Amino acid sequence: VPLGAGQRGRNDKGRRGQELGQAGALRQLGELALAYEALRPLLAAMPNDPLVLGALARMYVDAGNQGEAVRLYERILSRSPNDLDTLRAAGGAASANGELGTAERLLQHALQIAPDDPQTLAALGNIYRRQGRDSKALPLLRQAEARLQQQLTGGPKVPAPLHSAP
């Protein structure tokens, strides 16, 4: 019995998920060549799929090729400009590649989407710190700490003052 279009689509997504999972597991084990081989059929079949491109970008990050990872993340963002995870990943790769201006732009955009996200606040704060802009970095890092504490405890936390009185 031939598969209908809906069944084929679910089958393709299932196969994609399985192959992405295999490639991700191999990447996490440091087996980048094997991970790429596991991903190669998906790249051939779905060269513009954001999940496939994201998996390839993570491989480039792990291989130390941050520039190529940034290029792939930018490609994903050209189709999904408000994808928070991709914006953060692209910002991290750009930062690691020394592209602090690009990292700042990406993370500022991520912060517009999720202004209370502790990961984004901390990442942007660290970019400012690397740029020597501590007056911008410290408030973001304090806010990131407060948001993270809030998430962990379920309640509000007021950031501690920078210096305590003697």
Side-chain angles (χ1 to χ4, degrees), residues 17-130:
Q18 184 178 15
E19 290 176 7
L20 284 172
Q22 181 183 9
L26 289 165
R27 178 186 63 80
Q28 289 176 342
L29 291 172
E31 298 290 346
L32 298 179
L34 292 174
Y36 180 78
E37 288 304 315
L39 192 61
R40 190 164 35 171
L42 287 176
L43 285 167
M46 303 174 214
N48 295 312
D49 184 284
L51 295 176
V52 175
L53 292 174
L56 182 60
R58 288 186 293 280
M59 284 182 206
Y60 277 116
V61 166
D62 287 357
N65 190 343
Q66 311 300 336
E68 189 62 25
V70 171
R71 188 184 73 71
L72 286 167
Y73 285 132
E74 293 274 11
R75 192 167 145 197
I76 296 166
L77 290 168
S78 72
R79 294 179 148 208
S80 302
N82 295 326
D83 182 323
L84 184 60
D85 291 333
T86 301
L87 284 164
R88 282 194 308 240
S95 174
N97 201 41
E99 300 174 39
L100 299 183
T102 298
E104 179 183 358
R105 174 182 55 80
L106 292 162
L107 293 168
Q108 282 178 342
H109 185 87
L111 204 56
Q112 289 173 349
I113 295 165
D116 292 331
D117 178 63
Q119 287 178 287
T120 304
L121 289 163
L124 186 56
N126 285 323
I127 294 298
Y128 288 142
R129 180 173 274 169
R130 285 184 60 195

